[in-house]
Amino acid sequence: MNSLTKFFLILLRVAIGWHLLFAGLAKFNSDYHGSEGYLQESVGPLAPQFHELVGDRLADKLAVDPDTAKAAHDRLPPVLANEWNDYFEAYAAYYNFTPEQRKSAQDKIDKIKDKAVTWMTTEKSPSRNHPSTGRRPRSRRPSPSG
């Protein structure tokens, strides 16, 4: 082997080692997802097993606290609760709420959170009936016969 071949083989070996080193170090980052995206988008006969293997991050973040001993508004998923609380605080600060107004608004927000938790935990099929009349809306399309 001549010296130029040796040089390029050593250079290739260093480049491959460098690549593998940084691929390994990337796995220690907190935002590393590995093959999660690949497995989550898989199709075919084994897709359900792959999807179960990776889980669903969004569903995990937005899962209601199963502890029914807590008040409903305290069972709201933490991510959603933080977002609603931040919005409420910004709204109250912008409009300079007095302590009484803040308490009244917080009570109303808690009632809305209660309804949201009830909606998230109730398995009820969606109704096609109109909310005010309780009847199905009439079709506005002309009939096929004329």
Side-chain angles (χ1 to χ4, degrees), residues 95-113:
Y95 287 105
N96 296 323
F97 279 8
T98 63
E100 299 86 31
Q101 290 173 325
R102 183 177 283 276
K103 171 100 174 81
S104 173
Q106 187 63 53
D107 291 342
K108 290 178 183 178
I109 291 289
D110 288 344
K111 287 180 184 176
I112 292 170
K113 287 179 181 180

Side-chain angles (χ1 to χ4, degrees), residues 56-100:
D56 188 350
R57 285 179 178 229
L58 183 59
D60 293 342
K61 277 186 187 177
L62 297 179
V64 174
D65 187 354
D67 184 8
T68 55
K70 293 182 182 178
H73 60 268
D74 292 332
R75 294 177 53 212
L76 199 66
V79 173
L80 194 56
N82 290 339
E83 185 177 328
W84 286 18
N85 290 338
D86 291 345
Y87 182 78
F88 172 74
E89 290 302 326
Y91 189 87
Y94 182 81
Y95 287 105
N96 296 323
F97 279 8
T98 63
E100 299 86 31

